[in-house]
Amino acid sequence: MPVRIIYKLRLAHKYLFLISLLMLIRCSEEESPLPLSDADYFPLKVGMYAEYEVIEKIYSEIEGEEIFEYDLKQIVTDSFPNAAGGFTFVLNRFRRDNPLEDYQYVATWSARVEPSQVVVSEENIPFVVLSFPLVEGKQWDGNALNTMGGEELCGNENNTPCDIYSVISDKEHFEFNGDLFEALSVSQNNNEDIIVKQDVRTEQYARGLGLVYKMSSILEYCTVGDCIGKQVIEKGFILEQRLTTIGFE
């Protein structure tokens, strides 16, 4: 075979090898999973909705104990640029007392994911619900952006009222529709006083799903007369909220 033809064949083989190698590298890059982010625990996208089943017990001196069971639906309806250079998402919330009824509007919240935290405004009161990095033992002031203070003390001199939130577990799993999702739990308060006032609040978040479970128990006990120390509830509430459906509309 002439030398020129052999050279051309070798050159063609070389080019084919380089093309194949580039295609292999490109395919490997495309198939490589994207790096995980703490922001995945609070996904926000317009059209996304989540439904929860809620059991709420309300206590008062007049009515005693009242139990309410209902469905809660939250829809991300809009977004707009904010002063921090990111986006604020509008969360419309709806409620129905049984599955045969239509949802009724109850409130509008908002949320934004910043480089260091997630802020949820509950009817214009902002709370820092997550603080990055989300590692077990991480603590922060959940009321840092509002004037509600709290039952604990923060600041350089430990003289500023605050509500210390903390990641109490970052190695959990949440089962949803037969799949397991990475999850973590955040304690917003853990005052288990059974004499005067109990305030226990916990939220669980799952990667790719957001808030999946919430429990709040805020109770005030009778502290006068023979009922002292007997856990006689004068007022307060216990709320349990669990994710049932998630999707886009």
Side-chain angles (χ1 to χ4, degrees):
M1 182 179 294
V3 174
R4 182 178 297 178
I5 295 177
I6 294 175
Y7 173 77
K8 287 183 177 180
L9 287 174
R10 289 179 177 175
L11 190 62
H13 288 162
K14 180 178 180 181
Y15 281 131
L16 286 173
F17 172 77
L18 289 174
I19 292 172
S20 300
L21 182 61
L22 289 173
M23 291 181 65
L24 181 62
I25 294 173
R26 183 177 178 183
C27 289
S28 299
E29 290 177 346
E30 291 176 350
E31 292 174 2
S32 298
L34 294 174
L36 298 178
S37 167
D38 284 346
D40 297 338
Y41 285 100
F42 206 98
L44 286 170
K45 189 174 183 180
V46 174
M48 184 178 182
Y49 73 88
E51 292 180 289
Y52 302 87
E53 59 180 13
V54 181
I55 300 176
E56 187 173 5
K57 299 178 181 179
I58 298 178
Y59 300 88
S60 67
E61 295 183 80
I62 298 176
E63 300 294 338
E65 180 188 75
E66 295 181 283
I67 301 176
F68 302 92
E69 297 186 25
Y70 56 91
D71 295 327
L72 177 68
K73 185 176 184 178
Q74 180 170 278
I75 308 174
V76 184
T77 57
D78 199 2
S79 68
F80 55 88
N82 57 42
F87 286 87
T88 296
F89 291 81
V90 179
L91 313 176
N92 282 348
R93 295 165 65 85
F94 304 83
R95 169 178 166 164
R96 66 183 181 189
D97 292 331
N98 68 71
L100 299 179
E101 296 180 356
D102 293 330
Y103 277 105
Q104 302 296 319
Y105 169 82
V106 291
T108 295
W109 291 8
S110 67
R112 63 183 187 270
V113 178
E114 299 177 348
S116 62
Q117 61 191 8
V118 176
V119 179
V120 175
S121 292
E122 302 180 8
E123 300 182 20
N124 296 320
I125 301 176
F127 297 90
V128 182
V129 297
L130 296 175
S131 179
F132 307 144
L134 293 172
V135 294
E136 193 168 319
K138 175 68 178 290
Q139 294 186 335
W140 66 94
D141 181 6
N143 288 334
L145 302 179
N146 62 50
T147 58
M148 297 184 66
E151 298 180 352
E152 299 171 270
L153 294 176
C154 295
N156 295 332
E157 299 180 2
N158 288 331
N159 58 1
T160 304
C162 63
D163 243 349
I164 297 177
Y165 291 14
S166 62
V167 178
I168 55 177
S169 176
D170 63 355
K171 297 177 178 62
E172 301 175 352
H173 288 90
F174 180 78
E175 184 175 355
F176 184 69
N177 290 341
D179 295 320
L180 284 179
F181 293 81
E182 293 180 29
L184 58 87
S185 288
V186 173
S187 171
Q188 297 180 341
N189 207 331
N190 192 35
N191 177 8
E192 297 183 327
D193 181 6
I194 59 174
I195 304 299
V196 179
K197 180 181 179 180
Q198 179 184 110
D199 185 351
V200 179
R201 287 171 280 136
T202 304
E203 292 186 340
Q204 185 182 38
Y205 294 85
R207 189 183 296 278
L209 298 178
L211 178 66
V212 295
Y213 179 76
K214 176 178 182 176
M215 191 285 295
S216 298
S217 179
I218 301 178
L219 304 171
E220 293 185 20
Y221 299 106
C222 172
T223 57
V224 178
D226 295 337
C227 62
I228 297 177
K230 296 182 180 180
Q231 300 179 38
V232 176
I233 301 172
E234 286 192 337
K235 61 180 178 179
F237 70 92
I238 298 174
L239 180 145
E240 191 171 13
Q241 174 180 321
R242 186 181 300 274
L243 180 70
T244 59
T245 310
I246 197 166
F248 287 87
E249 61 178 31

